[in-house]
Amino acid sequence: MNKYNKSIVMLEKARKLTPLGAQTYSKSYRYFCENNAPSFMERGKGCRLWDVDGNEYIDFICALGPITIGYSDERINGAIVKQLEKGIIFSQPSPISIELAEKITEIIPCAEMVRFVKNGSDATAAAVRLARAYTGRELMAVSGYHGMQDWFIGSTVNHKGVPKGVRELVKNFEYNNIDSIKLLFEENPDQIAGVILEPIQGNGPNEGYLRELKRLVHRHGAILIFDEVVSGFRYALGGASELYNVNPDIITFGKGMANGMPISAVAGKKEILEMISEGVFISTTFGGEALSMAAALKTIEILQKENAYEKFWDLGNIMLKGIKDLVEKYKMEEVLIVSGLAPHCGYLFEGIGNLSYLDINSVYQQRMIEEGILTVGINNINLAHKKRNIQAYLDASEKAMLDIKKAIQQNSLKGILKGGKVDPVFKRV
Ligand code: PMP
């Protein structure tokens, strides 16, 4: 009897109905060891999830970032229900949209105005359209991931279906390398409308990098956009812009702002945002949906009241120190690369001998799940996590390392991997 029986049966059915059986690539079976991992979650509470077979996990994925307070938090549920009784969405804006806009402009240093949308991709697409309209230029320089819309995804390996003309309007630059973006400006004089980046990547920005980048972008007459869909509400209430005290012209948020309810935002300078009133078209039917706004207000209130960021950094630092010590103890430096700042840290995987980085990832993933820990390598901390949960993660990590050691010693996965291999949509080259 496989402990994932129900998941396996459901996945078979789901795959007939939905591509990959999931609505989000990185939540699909391809990111776990097929047939030896859960594929569907039934419910969550705090930092825990229960799969459809009744197996329990301490979750460090946090739904890919949205969960900042914890699953099914009663205070947030209460705020949603209170709004639900009044209504979900109306024929004109709800007053709660003013309350939330006021809150965002209060806590986000660069936000003079804000517009709410639904997904991170909506927010980044809006930011890019604003930058192009404001400057009258077309090229965008990017560093990081910015969502599923044509303007960005066309610049990646997953560009099928995006017209060539659109793809040619995006240029990549290397994070933490000022010369890389300098070169793009030199090669494309007066053509770059905006520079959009995830301001925290890997171990964060080098000293002074974001400030120097801002100077350079402005010197070339372009707009600086921080894509804080991941970093917002995770490292600090005001995201990286608050943490590093660098204000971009436009900022985007999504994921963590409403503890799982679907809402995102594009915010920034009034003079740029006001263009939305004058023909820069950014508008969606569900943009003003009030349940998500109620959840966002309550989430922000809890994050503020409970010193969330002190907790995220403290717990994350325990995790970071723990994994560094384990990597050193088991001499795993070649295959497990400790990466990230405390609130969003974990391992990146590298190959060795006959084993690819995905082989190492799969052995790790399999053991973590067997030990009741849900992780995809890099973790998110939420307010419901306690020190003992971090310890459980470290104990499981230690066991995973012993499995990896065995695989390295025999130079194969034979007899180790019981299910399929992790097979992500974006593979490293
Ligand atoms: N920007 C960043 C930095 C992201 O990580 C993501 C999603 N992973 C997006 C934008 C797109 O957000 P969404 O998937 O909500 O459209």
Side-chain angles (χ1 to χ4, degrees):
M1 177 83 175
N2 186 316
K3 69 191 266 204
Y4 308 111
N5 251 355
K6 278 194 184 159
S7 263
I8 292 167
V9 173
M10 276 186 196
L11 181 59
E12 202 179 320
K13 180 171 182 186
R15 286 181 65 181
K16 289 182 187 141
L17 298 163
T18 296
L20 300 185
Q23 323 308 326
T24 310
Y25 285 119
S26 20
K27 294 184 185 184
S28 76
Y29 71 92
R30 294 217 354 212
Y31 287 71
F32 300 88
C33 300
E34 196 181 354
N35 293 329
N36 192 31
S39 286
F40 294 89
M41 289 295 155
E42 187 71 52
R43 68 189 174 93
K45 188 76 194 164
C47 65
R48 289 172 194 275
L49 286 174
W50 285 265
D51 71 16
V52 287
D53 289 275
N55 303 304
E56 181 179 330
Y57 306 88
I58 303 169
D59 172 56
F60 288 97
I61 302 176
C62 295
L64 299 176
I67 303 298
T68 41
I69 308 296
Y71 290 100
S72 192
D73 183 272
E74 274 161 28
R75 296 159 295 181
I76 296 169
N77 291 351
I80 295 169
V81 168
K82 196 167 147 215
Q83 180 60 44
L84 180 63
E85 280 160 3
K86 294 187 206 168
I88 300 168
I89 190 164
F90 309 110
S91 308
Q92 289 192 319
S94 155
I96 202 169
S97 63
I98 309 173
E99 217 184 312
L100 183 60
E102 202 166 32
K103 192 60 162 176
I104 294 290
T105 55
E106 190 186 298
I107 63 172
I108 307 300
C110 72
E112 295 171 1
M113 288 187 102
V114 54
R115 180 84 149 187
F116 297 106
V117 273
K118 280 288 153 203
N119 292 287
S121 304
D122 305 343
T124 53
V128 166
R129 187 170 299 152
L130 282 166
R132 285 173 167 160
Y134 187 81
T135 58
R137 301 174 180 177
E138 291 197 335
L139 288 187
M140 290 299 302
V142 304
S143 176
Y145 174 80
H146 306 296
M148 66 166 275
Q149 296 302 338
D150 275 13
W151 80 265
F152 170 72
I153 209 68
S155 70
T156 72
V157 291
N158 291 308
H159 58 64
K160 281 186 189 159
V162 181
K164 194 159 163 273
V166 173
R167 294 175 49 200
E168 285 167 355
L169 296 177
V170 169
K171 311 276 177 202
N172 278 278
F173 68 96
E174 196 186 330
Y175 181 70
N176 264 341
N177 175 355
I178 205 77
D179 289 337
S180 164
I181 180 70
K182 249 185 208 159
L183 190 67
L184 278 189
F185 276 119
E186 280 161 21
E187 286 173 351
N188 304 280
D190 301 326
Q191 290 177 70
I192 297 180
V195 170
I196 179 168
L197 79 159
E198 290 185 73
I200 302 180
Q201 298 179 33
N203 295 327
N206 293 339
E207 181 72 35
Y209 171 70
L210 295 175
R211 199 164 293 281
E212 200 180 345
L213 179 69
K214 179 176 170 176
R215 266 198 303 271
L216 187 77
V217 169
H218 285 171
R219 201 181 322 130
H220 288 276
I223 295 290
L224 180 64
I225 304 166
F226 280 180
D227 177 354
E228 299 232 36
V229 169
V230 168
S231 54
F233 300 92
R234 187 111 254 138
Y235 299 88
L237 196 63
S241 73
E242 179 198 308
L243 202 59
Y244 299 102
N245 195 21
V246 177
N247 287 333
D249 304 301
I250 308 178
I251 196 161
T252 60
F253 294 101
K255 294 196 190 266
M257 69 183 281
N259 198 45
M261 287 295 276
I263 183 166
S264 63
V266 56
K269 285 196 177 137
K270 187 172 180 352
E271 127 179 71
I272 302 176
L273 268 283
E274 267 295 16
M275 295 180 77
I276 299 175
S277 321
E278 295 151 12
V280 178
F281 197 88
I282 288 150
S283 179
T284 68
T285 306
F286 292 116
E289 176 269 305
L291 301 187
S292 298
M293 293 188 165
L297 277 165
K298 187 53 84 178
T299 298
I300 294 168
E301 181 192 316
I302 297 169
L303 289 169
Q304 278 181 313
K305 256 196 206 151
E306 301 208 351
N307 290 327
Y309 297 96
E310 217 177 292
K311 289 188 190 166
F312 293 170
W313 283 86
D314 284 351
L315 285 184
N317 275 319
I318 295 172
M319 178 181 266
L320 207 48
K321 179 172 183 324
I323 58 182
K324 276 182 187 156
D325 289 349
L326 284 174
V327 165
E328 204 181 303
K329 179 174 169 189
Y330 290 98
K331 299 190 173 42
M332 288 278 140
E333 291 87 349
E334 261 184 281
V335 289
L336 294 177
I337 314 301
V338 178
S339 177
L341 301 179
H344 186 65
C345 68
Y347 305 104
L348 300 175
F349 306 95
E350 288 294 342
I352 190 168
N354 285 339
L355 303 172
S356 70
Y357 85 95
L358 290 174
D359 291 337
I360 301 289
N361 185 348
S362 302
V363 175
Y364 171 81
Q365 176 74 271
Q366 169 178 281
R367 172 59 78 176
M368 296 305 277
I369 283 182
E370 273 174 20
E371 298 297 317
I373 305 286
L374 212 59
T375 170
V376 281
I378 300 290
N379 303 293
N380 288 309
I381 310 269
N382 68 52
L383 264 186
H385 282 119
K386 301 276 184 296
K387 264 190 197 165
R388 64 174 182 278
N389 306 128
I390 308 291
Q391 192 52 52
Y393 166 87
L394 293 173
D395 293 344
S397 263
E398 185 159 13
K399 291 184 180 160
M401 284 189 200
L402 293 172
D403 290 351
I404 293 171
K405 214 172 187 59
K406 192 170 158 204
I408 293 172
Q409 269 159 7
Q410 67 182 42
N411 204 17
S412 89
L413 298 183
K414 206 159 166 254
I416 296 176
L417 206 61
K418 297 171 201 147
K421 265 204 262 183
V422 173
D423 179 24
V425 171
F426 283 106
K427 288 187 193 54
R428 295 217 307 266
V429 281

